[in-house]
Amino acid sequence: MSRLSEKELQQRLSDTEWRREDEAIVQDFAFADFAAAITFVNEVAGLAEQANHHPDILLHGWNNVRLTLSTHSEGGLTSSDFELAKRIDGLA
């Protein structure tokens, strides 16, 4: 799998809540409470296992989750990152 070009990245990021940070895409999620944030993390973990593509997950505060996606083996962003991001968006 190859890294996406700058043009492809811009196209894939349009009309989405994901933002680019260096060689990754990031999105922050806020939930009603800690339990809801943990439920979301567990659902993301299930999707990540199915895809064999694992985001960095930061649970902070008592109800906030930050997800960071990047294809570490490619040193940047690939279609796998955006495919998982789309599946995660379906959860939120």
Coordinates of all heavy atoms in Angstrom, one line a residue:
M1 N 0.8 -1.2 0.0 CA 0.0 0.0 0.0 C 0.9 1.2 0.0 O 1.9 1.3 0.7 CB -0.9 0.0 1.2 CG -1.8 1.2 1.4 SD -3.1 0.9 2.5 CE -3.8 -0.6 2.0
S2 N 0.6 2.2 -0.8 CA 1.4 3.4 -0.9 C 0.8 4.6 -0.3 O -0.5 4.7 -0.1 CB 1.7 3.7 -2.4 OG 0.5 3.9 -3.1
R3 N 1.6 5.5 0.1 CA 1.1 6.8 0.6 C 0.3 7.6 -0.4 O 0.6 7.5 -1.6 CB 2.3 7.6 1.1 CG 3.1 7.0 2.3 CD 4.3 7.7 2.6 NE 4.0 9.1 3.0 CZ 4.9 9.9 3.5 NH1 6.2 9.5 3.7 NH2 4.6 11.2 3.8
L4 N -0.6 8.3 0.2 CA -1.5 9.2 -0.7 C -0.7 10.5 -1.0 O 0.1 11.0 -0.2 CB -2.8 9.5 0.0 CG -3.6 8.3 0.3 CD1 -4.8 8.7 1.2 CD2 -4.1 7.6 -0.9
S5 N -1.0 11.0 -2.2 CA -0.4 12.3 -2.6 C -1.1 13.4 -1.8 O -2.2 13.2 -1.2 CB -0.6 12.5 -4.1 OG -2.0 12.7 -4.4
E6 N -0.5 14.6 -1.9 CA -1.1 15.7 -1.2 C -2.5 16.1 -1.8 O -3.4 16.4 -1.0 CB -0.1 16.9 -1.4 CG -0.4 18.1 -0.5 CD -0.3 17.8 1.0 OE1 0.6 17.0 1.3 OE2 -1.1 18.3 1.8
K7 N -2.6 15.9 -3.1 CA -3.9 16.2 -3.7 C -5.0 15.2 -3.2 O -6.1 15.6 -2.9 CB -3.8 16.2 -5.2 CG -5.1 16.5 -5.9 CD -4.9 16.5 -7.4 CE -6.2 16.9 -8.1 NZ -6.1 16.9 -9.6
E8 N -4.6 13.9 -3.1 CA -5.5 12.9 -2.6 C -5.9 13.1 -1.2 O -7.1 13.0 -0.8 CB -4.9 11.5 -2.8 CG -4.8 11.0 -4.2 CD -3.9 9.8 -4.3 OE1 -2.8 9.7 -3.7 OE2 -4.4 8.8 -5.0
L9 N -4.9 13.6 -0.4 CA -5.2 13.9 1.0 C -6.2 15.0 1.2 O -7.1 14.9 1.9 CB -3.9 14.2 1.8 CG -2.9 13.1 2.0 CD1 -1.6 13.6 2.5 CD2 -3.5 12.0 2.9
Q10 N -6.0 16.0 0.4 CA -6.9 17.2 0.5 C -8.3 16.8 0.1 O -9.3 17.2 0.7 CB -6.4 18.3 -0.4 CG -5.2 19.0 0.2 CD -4.6 20.1 -0.7 OE1 -5.2 20.4 -1.7 NE2 -3.4 20.6 -0.3
Q11 N -8.4 16.0 -1.0 CA -9.8 15.5 -1.4 C -10.4 14.7 -0.4 O -11.6 14.8 -0.1 CB -9.6 14.7 -2.7 CG -9.3 15.5 -3.9 CD -9.0 14.7 -5.2 OE1 -8.6 13.5 -5.1 NE2 -9.1 15.3 -6.3
R12 N -9.7 13.8 0.2 CA -10.3 12.9 1.2 C -10.6 13.6 2.5 O -11.5 13.1 3.2 CB -9.4 11.7 1.5 CG -9.3 10.7 0.3 CD -8.3 9.6 0.5 NE -8.2 8.8 -0.6 CZ -8.4 7.4 -0.6 NH1 -8.8 6.8 0.5 NH2 -8.3 6.7 -1.7
L13 N -10.0 14.7 2.8 CA -10.3 15.4 4.0 C -11.4 16.4 3.9 O -12.0 16.8 4.9 CB -9.0 16.1 4.5 CG -8.0 15.3 5.2 CD1 -6.7 16.1 5.4 CD2 -8.5 14.7 6.5
S14 N -11.8 16.7 2.6 CA -12.9 17.6 2.4 C -14.2 17.0 2.9 O -14.3 15.8 2.8 CB -13.0 18.1 1.0 OG -13.3 17.0 0.2
D15 N -15.0 17.8 3.5 CA -16.3 17.3 4.0 C -16.2 16.2 5.1 O -17.0 15.3 5.1 CB -17.2 16.8 2.8 CG -17.5 17.8 1.8 OD1 -17.7 19.0 2.2 OD2 -17.6 17.5 0.6
T16 N -15.2 16.4 5.9 CA -15.0 15.5 7.0 C -14.6 16.3 8.3 O -14.0 17.4 8.1 CB -14.0 14.4 6.7 OG1 -13.9 13.5 7.8 CG2 -12.7 14.9 6.4
E17 N -14.7 15.7 9.4 CA -14.3 16.3 10.7 C -12.8 16.0 11.0 O -12.2 16.5 11.9 CB -15.2 15.9 11.8 CG -16.6 16.4 11.7 CD -16.8 17.9 11.8 OE1 -16.1 18.5 12.6 OE2 -17.5 18.4 10.9
W18 N -12.2 15.1 10.2 CA -10.8 14.7 10.4 C -10.0 15.8 10.0 O -10.3 16.5 9.0 CB -10.5 13.4 9.7 CG -11.2 12.2 10.2 CD1 -12.5 11.8 9.9 CD2 -10.7 11.4 11.3 NE1 -12.8 10.7 10.6 CE2 -11.8 10.4 11.5 CE3 -9.6 11.3 12.0 CZ2 -11.6 9.4 12.4 CZ3 -9.4 10.3 12.9 CH2 -10.5 9.3 13.1
R19 N -8.8 16.1 10.7 CA -7.9 17.1 10.3 C -6.5 16.5 10.2 O -6.2 15.5 10.8 CB -7.9 18.2 11.3 CG -7.4 17.9 12.7 CD -7.5 19.0 13.6 NE -7.0 18.7 14.9 CZ -7.7 18.0 15.9 NH1 -8.9 17.5 15.6 NH2 -7.1 17.7 17.0
R20 N -5.7 17.1 9.4 CA -4.3 16.6 9.3 C -3.4 17.2 10.3 O -3.4 18.4 10.5 CB -3.8 16.9 7.9 CG -2.5 16.3 7.6 CD -2.2 16.2 6.1 NE -0.9 15.7 5.9 CZ -0.2 15.9 4.8 NH1 -0.7 16.7 3.9 NH2 1.0 15.4 4.7
E21 N -2.6 16.3 10.9 CA -1.5 16.8 11.8 C -0.3 16.0 11.4 O -0.2 14.8 11.6 CB -1.8 16.5 13.2 CG -2.9 17.4 13.8 CD -3.2 17.3 15.3 OE1 -2.4 16.6 16.0 OE2 -4.1 18.0 15.8
D22 N 0.6 16.7 10.7 CA 1.9 16.1 10.2 C 1.5 14.9 9.3 O 0.8 15.1 8.3 CB 2.8 15.6 11.3 CG 3.2 16.8 12.2 OD1 3.5 17.9 11.6 OD2 3.3 16.7 13.4
E23 N 1.9 13.7 9.6 CA 1.7 12.5 8.7 C 0.6 11.7 9.3 O 0.6 10.4 9.2 CB 3.0 11.7 8.6 CG 4.1 12.5 7.9 CD 3.7 12.9 6.5 OE1 3.0 12.1 5.8 OE2 4.1 14.0 6.1
A24 N -0.5 12.3 9.9 CA -1.6 11.6 10.5 C -2.9 12.4 10.3 O -2.8 13.6 9.9 CB -1.4 11.3 11.9
I25 N -4.0 11.7 10.5 CA -5.3 12.4 10.6 C -5.8 12.2 12.0 O -5.6 11.2 12.6 CB -6.3 12.0 9.5 CG1 -6.5 10.5 9.5 CG2 -5.9 12.5 8.1 CD1 -7.7 10.0 8.6
V26 N -6.4 13.3 12.5 CA -6.9 13.3 13.9 C -8.3 13.8 14.0 O -8.7 14.7 13.2 CB -5.9 14.3 14.7 CG1 -6.4 14.4 16.1 CG2 -4.5 13.8 14.6
Q27 N -9.0 13.3 15.0 CA -10.3 13.8 15.3 C -10.6 13.6 16.8 O -10.2 12.7 17.4 CB -11.5 13.1 14.5 CG -12.8 13.8 14.7 CD -13.9 13.3 13.8 OE1 -15.0 13.6 14.1 NE2 -13.6 12.4 12.8
D28 N -11.2 14.7 17.3 CA -11.6 14.7 18.7 C -13.1 14.4 18.9 O -13.8 15.0 18.1 CB -11.2 16.0 19.4 CG -9.7 16.2 19.4 OD1 -9.0 15.5 20.1 OD2 -9.2 17.2 18.7
F29 N -13.4 13.6 19.8 CA -14.8 13.3 20.1 C -15.1 13.6 21.6 O -14.3 13.3 22.4 CB -15.1 11.8 19.9 CG -14.8 11.3 18.5 CD1 -13.5 11.0 18.1 CD2 -15.8 11.3 17.5 CE1 -13.2 10.6 16.8 CE2 -15.5 10.9 16.2 CZ -14.2 10.5 15.9
A30 N -16.3 14.2 21.8 CA -16.7 14.5 23.2 C -18.0 13.7 23.4 O -18.9 13.6 22.6 CB -17.0 16.0 23.4
F31 N -18.1 13.1 24.6 CA -19.3 12.3 25.0 C -19.9 12.8 26.3 O -19.4 13.6 27.0 CB -18.8 10.8 25.2 CG -18.3 10.3 23.9 CD1 -16.9 10.3 23.6 CD2 -19.1 9.7 22.9 CE1 -16.4 9.9 22.4 CE2 -18.6 9.2 21.7 CZ -17.3 9.3 21.4
A32 N -21.1 12.3 26.5 CA -21.9 12.8 27.7 C -21.2 12.4 29.0 O -21.4 13.2 29.9 CB -23.3 12.2 27.6
D33 N -20.5 11.3 29.0 CA -19.9 10.9 30.3 C -18.8 9.9 30.0 O -18.5 9.5 28.8 CB -20.9 10.3 31.2 CG -21.7 9.1 30.6 OD1 -21.2 8.4 29.8 OD2 -22.9 9.0 31.0
F34 N -18.1 9.5 31.0 CA -16.9 8.6 30.9 C -17.4 7.3 30.3 O -16.7 6.7 29.5 CB -16.3 8.4 32.3 CG -15.1 7.5 32.3 CD1 -13.9 8.0 31.9 CD2 -15.2 6.2 32.8 CE1 -12.8 7.2 31.9 CE2 -14.1 5.4 32.8 CZ -12.8 5.9 32.4
A35 N -18.5 6.7 30.8 CA -18.9 5.4 30.3 C -19.2 5.4 28.8 O -18.8 4.5 28.1 CB -20.2 5.0 31.0
A36 N -19.7 6.5 28.3 CA -20.0 6.6 26.8 C -18.7 6.7 26.1 O -18.5 6.1 25.0 CB -20.9 7.9 26.5
A37 N -17.7 7.4 26.6 CA -16.4 7.5 26.0 C -15.7 6.2 25.9 O -15.1 5.8 24.9 CB -15.5 8.5 26.7
I38 N -15.8 5.4 27.0 CA -15.2 4.1 27.0 C -15.9 3.1 26.0 O -15.3 2.3 25.3 CB -15.2 3.5 28.4 CG1 -14.2 4.2 29.3 CG2 -14.9 2.0 28.5 CD1 -12.8 4.1 28.9
T39 N -17.2 3.2 26.0 CA -18.0 2.4 25.0 C -17.5 2.7 23.6 O -17.3 1.8 22.8 CB -19.5 2.7 25.1 OG1 -19.9 2.3 26.4 CG2 -20.3 1.9 24.1
F40 N -17.3 4.0 23.3 CA -16.8 4.4 21.9 C -15.4 3.8 21.7 O -15.2 3.2 20.6 CB -16.8 5.9 21.8 CG -16.2 6.4 20.5 CD1 -16.9 6.3 19.3 CD2 -15.0 7.0 20.5 CE1 -16.4 6.8 18.1 CE2 -14.5 7.5 19.3 CZ -15.2 7.4 18.1
V41 N -14.5 3.9 22.7 CA -13.2 3.4 22.5 C -13.2 1.9 22.2 O -12.5 1.4 21.3 CB -12.3 3.7 23.8 CG1 -11.1 2.8 23.8 CG2 -12.0 5.1 23.8
N42 N -14.1 1.2 22.9 CA -14.2 -0.3 22.7 C -14.8 -0.6 21.3 O -14.3 -1.6 20.7 CB -15.1 -0.9 23.8 CG -14.3 -1.0 25.1 OD1 -13.1 -1.1 25.2 ND2 -15.1 -1.0 26.2
E43 N -15.7 0.2 20.8 CA -16.2 0.0 19.5 C -15.2 0.3 18.4 O -15.1 -0.5 17.4 CB -17.5 0.9 19.3 CG -18.7 0.5 20.1 CD -19.8 1.4 20.0 OE1 -19.6 2.6 19.5 OE2 -20.9 1.1 20.4
V44 N -14.4 1.3 18.6 CA -13.3 1.6 17.7 C -12.3 0.5 17.7 O -11.8 0.1 16.7 CB -12.6 3.0 18.1 CG1 -11.3 3.1 17.3 CG2 -13.5 4.1 17.8
A45 N -12.0 -0.1 18.9 CA -11.1 -1.2 19.0 C -11.5 -2.4 18.2 O -10.7 -3.1 17.5 CB -10.9 -1.6 20.5
G46 N -12.8 -2.6 18.2 CA -13.4 -3.7 17.4 C -13.2 -3.5 15.9 O -12.8 -4.4 15.2
L47 N -13.5 -2.3 15.5 CA -13.3 -1.9 14.1 C -11.8 -2.1 13.7 O -11.4 -2.6 12.6 CB -13.7 -0.5 13.8 CG -15.2 -0.2 13.8 CD1 -15.5 1.2 13.6 CD2 -16.0 -1.1 12.8
A48 N -10.9 -1.6 14.6 CA -9.5 -1.6 14.3 C -9.0 -3.1 14.2 O -8.2 -3.4 13.3 CB -8.7 -0.9 15.4
E49 N -9.5 -3.9 15.0 CA -9.1 -5.4 15.0 C -9.6 -6.0 13.7 O -8.8 -6.7 13.0 CB -9.7 -6.1 16.2 CG -8.9 -5.9 17.4 CD -7.5 -6.4 17.3 OE1 -7.3 -7.7 17.1 OE2 -6.5 -5.6 17.5
Q50 N -10.8 -5.7 13.2 CA -11.3 -6.2 12.0 C -10.5 -5.8 10.8 O -10.2 -6.5 9.9 CB -12.8 -5.7 11.8 CG -13.8 -6.4 12.7 CD -15.2 -5.7 12.5 OE1 -15.4 -4.8 11.7 NE2 -16.1 -6.2 13.3
A51 N -10.0 -4.5 10.9 CA -9.3 -3.9 9.7 C -7.8 -4.2 9.9 O -7.0 -3.9 8.9 CB -9.5 -2.4 9.7
N52 N -7.3 -4.7 11.0 CA -5.9 -4.9 11.3 C -5.2 -3.6 11.1 O -4.1 -3.6 10.5 CB -5.3 -6.1 10.5 CG -3.9 -6.5 11.0 OD1 -3.7 -6.3 12.2 ND2 -3.1 -6.9 10.1
H53 N -5.8 -2.5 11.6 CA -5.2 -1.2 11.4 C -5.6 -0.4 12.7 O -6.8 -0.2 12.9 CB -5.8 -0.5 10.2 CG -5.1 0.7 9.8 ND1 -3.8 0.8 9.4 CD2 -5.5 2.0 9.7 CE1 -3.4 2.0 9.1 NE2 -4.5 2.8 9.3
H54 N -4.6 -0.1 13.5 CA -4.9 0.4 14.9 C -4.5 1.8 15.1 O -3.4 2.2 14.9 CB -4.1 -0.5 15.8 CG -4.5 -2.0 15.6 ND1 -3.7 -2.8 14.8 CD2 -5.5 -2.7 16.1 CE1 -4.3 -4.0 14.8 NE2 -5.4 -4.0 15.6
P55 N -5.5 2.6 15.5 CA -5.2 4.1 15.7 C -4.6 4.3 17.1 O -4.7 3.4 18.0 CB -6.6 4.7 15.7 CG -7.5 3.6 16.2 CD -6.9 2.3 15.6
D56 N -4.0 5.4 17.2 CA -3.6 5.8 18.6 C -4.8 6.4 19.2 O -5.6 7.2 18.6 CB -2.5 6.9 18.5 CG -1.1 6.4 18.0 OD1 -0.9 5.2 18.1 OD2 -0.3 7.2 17.5
I57 N -5.1 6.0 20.5 CA -6.3 6.4 21.2 C -5.9 7.1 22.5 O -5.1 6.6 23.3 CB -7.2 5.2 21.5 CG1 -7.6 4.5 20.2 CG2 -8.4 5.6 22.3 CD1 -8.3 3.2 20.5
L58 N -6.4 8.3 22.6 CA -6.1 9.1 23.8 C -7.5 9.4 24.5 O -8.3 10.1 23.9 CB -5.4 10.4 23.5 CG -5.3 11.4 24.7 CD1 -4.4 10.8 25.8 CD2 -4.7 12.7 24.2
L59 N -7.7 8.9 25.7 CA -8.9 9.2 26.5 C -8.4 10.3 27.5 O -7.5 10.0 28.3 CB -9.4 8.0 27.2 CG -10.5 8.2 28.2 CD1 -11.8 8.6 27.4 CD2 -10.8 6.9 28.9
H60 N -9.0 11.4 27.4 CA -8.6 12.5 28.3 C -9.8 13.2 28.9 O -10.9 13.2 28.3 CB -7.6 13.5 27.6 CG -8.1 14.1 26.4 ND1 -8.6 15.4 26.3 CD2 -8.4 13.6 25.1 CE1 -9.0 15.7 25.1 NE2 -8.9 14.6 24.4
G61 N -9.5 13.9 30.0 CA -10.6 14.5 30.7 C -11.4 13.3 31.2 O -10.9 12.2 31.4
W62 N -12.7 13.5 31.3 CA -13.5 12.4 31.7 C -14.5 11.9 30.6 O -15.1 10.9 30.7 CB -14.3 12.7 33.0 CG -15.2 14.0 32.8 CD1 -14.7 15.3 32.9 CD2 -16.5 14.1 32.3 NE1 -15.7 16.2 32.6 CE2 -16.8 15.4 32.2 CE3 -17.5 13.1 32.0 CZ2 -18.1 15.9 31.8 CZ3 -18.7 13.6 31.7 CH2 -19.0 15.0 31.6
N63 N -14.4 12.6 29.5 CA -15.4 12.3 28.4 C -14.9 12.6 27.0 O -15.7 12.6 26.1 CB -16.7 13.0 28.6 CG -16.6 14.5 28.4 OD1 -15.5 15.1 28.6 ND2 -17.6 15.2 28.0
N64 N -13.6 12.7 26.9 CA -13.0 13.1 25.6 C -12.1 12.0 25.0 O -11.3 11.5 25.8 CB -12.2 14.4 25.7 CG -13.1 15.6 26.1 OD1 -14.0 16.0 25.4 ND2 -12.9 16.1 27.3
V65 N -12.2 11.8 23.7 CA -11.4 10.8 23.0 C -10.8 11.5 21.8 O -11.5 12.1 21.0 CB -12.2 9.6 22.6 CG1 -11.3 8.6 21.8 CG2 -12.8 8.9 23.8
R66 N -9.5 11.3 21.6 CA -8.8 11.7 20.4 C -8.2 10.5 19.7 O -7.6 9.7 20.3 CB -7.6 12.7 20.8 CG -6.8 13.0 19.5 CD -5.8 14.1 19.8 NE -6.5 15.3 20.0 CZ -5.9 16.4 20.5 NH1 -4.6 16.4 20.9 NH2 -6.6 17.5 20.7
L67 N -8.6 10.4 18.4 CA -8.1 9.3 17.6 C -7.1 9.9 16.6 O -7.3 10.9 16.0 CB -9.2 8.6 16.9 CG -10.3 8.0 17.7 CD1 -11.4 7.4 16.9 CD2 -9.7 6.9 18.7
T68 N -6.0 9.2 16.4 CA -4.9 9.5 15.5 C -4.7 8.3 14.6 O -4.4 7.2 15.1 CB -3.6 10.0 16.2 OG1 -3.9 11.0 17.1 CG2 -2.6 10.4 15.2
L69 N -4.8 8.5 13.3 CA -4.6 7.5 12.3 C -3.4 7.8 11.4 O -3.3 8.9 10.9 CB -5.9 7.3 11.4 CG -7.1 6.8 12.1 CD1 -8.3 7.0 11.2 CD2 -7.0 5.3 12.5
S70 N -2.6 6.8 11.2 CA -1.5 6.9 10.3 C -1.0 5.5 10.0 O -1.2 4.6 10.8 CB -0.3 7.7 10.9 OG 0.7 7.8 10.0
T71 N -0.5 5.2 8.8 CA 0.1 3.9 8.5 C 1.6 4.0 8.8 O 2.3 4.4 7.9 CB -0.2 3.6 7.0 OG1 -1.6 3.6 6.8 CG2 0.2 2.2 6.7
H72 N 1.9 3.6 9.9 CA 3.3 3.7 10.4 C 4.3 2.9 9.5 O 5.4 3.4 9.2 CB 3.4 3.2 11.8 CG 2.5 3.9 12.8 ND1 2.8 5.2 13.1 CD2 1.4 3.6 13.4 CE1 1.9 5.6 14.0 NE2 1.0 4.6 14.1
S73 N 3.9 1.8 8.9 CA 4.8 1.0 8.1 C 5.1 1.8 6.8 O 6.1 1.5 6.1 CB 4.2 -0.3 7.7 OG 2.9 -0.2 7.0
E74 N 4.2 2.7 6.4 CA 4.4 3.5 5.2 C 4.9 4.9 5.5 O 5.2 5.7 4.6 CB 3.1 3.6 4.4 CG 2.6 2.3 3.8 CD 3.6 1.7 2.8 OE1 4.3 2.5 2.0 OE2 3.7 0.5 2.7
G75 N 5.0 5.3 6.8 CA 5.5 6.6 7.2 C 4.6 7.7 6.8 O 5.0 8.8 6.6
G76 N 3.3 7.4 6.7 CA 2.3 8.5 6.4 C 0.9 7.9 6.2 O 0.6 6.9 6.7
L77 N 0.2 8.7 5.4 CA -1.3 8.3 5.3 C -1.5 7.5 4.0 O -1.0 7.8 2.9 CB -2.1 9.6 5.2 CG -2.1 10.4 6.6 CD1 -2.5 11.8 6.4 CD2 -3.1 9.7 7.5
T78 N -2.3 6.5 4.2 CA -2.7 5.6 3.0 C -4.2 5.5 3.0 O -4.9 6.0 3.9 CB -2.1 4.2 3.2 OG1 -2.7 3.6 4.3 CG2 -0.6 4.3 3.3
S79 N -4.7 4.9 2.0 CA -6.2 4.7 1.9 C -6.7 3.9 3.1 O -7.9 4.1 3.5 CB -6.6 4.0 0.6 OG -5.9 2.7 0.6
S80 N -5.9 3.1 3.8 CA -6.4 2.3 5.0 C -6.8 3.3 6.1 O -7.7 3.0 6.8 CB -5.2 1.4 5.5 OG -5.0 0.4 4.6
D81 N -6.1 4.4 6.2 CA -6.4 5.4 7.3 C -7.8 6.0 7.0 O -8.6 6.1 8.0 CB -5.4 6.5 7.3 CG -4.0 5.9 7.6 OD1 -3.8 5.2 8.7 OD2 -3.1 6.1 6.8
F82 N -8.1 6.3 5.8 CA -9.3 6.9 5.5 C -10.5 5.9 5.5 O -11.6 6.3 5.8 CB -9.2 7.7 4.1 CG -8.4 8.9 4.3 CD1 -7.1 8.9 4.1 CD2 -9.0 10.1 4.7 CE1 -6.3 10.0 4.2 CE2 -8.3 11.3 4.9 CZ -6.9 11.2 4.6
E83 N -10.2 4.7 5.1 CA -11.2 3.6 5.2 C -11.6 3.4 6.7 O -12.8 3.3 7.0 CB -10.7 2.3 4.6 CG -10.6 2.4 3.1 CD -9.8 1.3 2.5 OE1 -9.5 0.3 3.2 OE2 -9.4 1.4 1.3
L84 N -10.7 3.3 7.6 CA -11.0 3.2 9.0 C -11.7 4.4 9.5 O -12.6 4.3 10.3 CB -9.7 2.8 9.8 CG -10.0 2.6 11.3 CD1 -11.0 1.5 11.5 CD2 -8.7 2.2 12.0
A85 N -11.2 5.6 9.1 CA -11.8 6.8 9.6 C -13.3 6.9 9.2 O -14.2 7.3 10.0 CB -11.1 8.1 9.0
K86 N -13.6 6.4 8.0 CA -15.0 6.4 7.6 C -15.9 5.5 8.4 O -17.0 5.8 8.8 CB -15.1 6.0 6.1 CG -16.5 6.1 5.5 CD -16.5 5.8 4.0 CE -17.9 5.9 3.5 NZ -17.9 5.6 2.0
R87 N -15.3 4.3 8.8 CA -16.0 3.4 9.6 C -16.2 3.9 11.0 O -17.2 3.7 11.6 CB -15.3 2.0 9.6 CG -15.3 1.4 8.2 CD -14.7 0.0 8.3 NE -15.6 -0.9 9.0 CZ -15.2 -2.1 9.5 NH1 -14.0 -2.5 9.3 NH2 -16.1 -2.8 10.1
I88 N -15.2 4.6 11.5 CA -15.3 5.3 12.8 C -16.4 6.3 12.8 O -17.2 6.4 13.8 CB -13.9 5.8 13.3 CG1 -13.0 4.7 13.6 CG2 -14.1 6.7 14.5 CD1 -11.5 5.1 13.7
D89 N -16.4 7.1 11.7 CA -17.5 8.1 11.6 C -18.9 7.5 11.7 O -19.8 8.2 12.2 CB -17.3 8.9 10.3 CG -16.2 9.8 10.3 OD1 -15.6 10.2 11.4 OD2 -15.7 10.3 9.2
G90 N -19.0 6.3 11.3 CA -20.3 5.6 11.4 C -20.7 5.3 12.8 O -21.9 5.1 13.1
L91 N -19.7 5.2 13.7 CA -20.0 5.0 15.1 C -20.5 6.2 15.9 O -21.3 6.1 16.8 CB -18.8 4.4 15.8 CG -18.2 3.1 15.4 CD1 -16.9 2.9 16.1 CD2 -19.1 2.0 15.6
A92 N -19.9 7.3 15.5 CA -20.0 8.6 16.3 C -21.4 9.2 16.2 O -22.1 9.1 15.2 CB -19.0 9.6 15.9

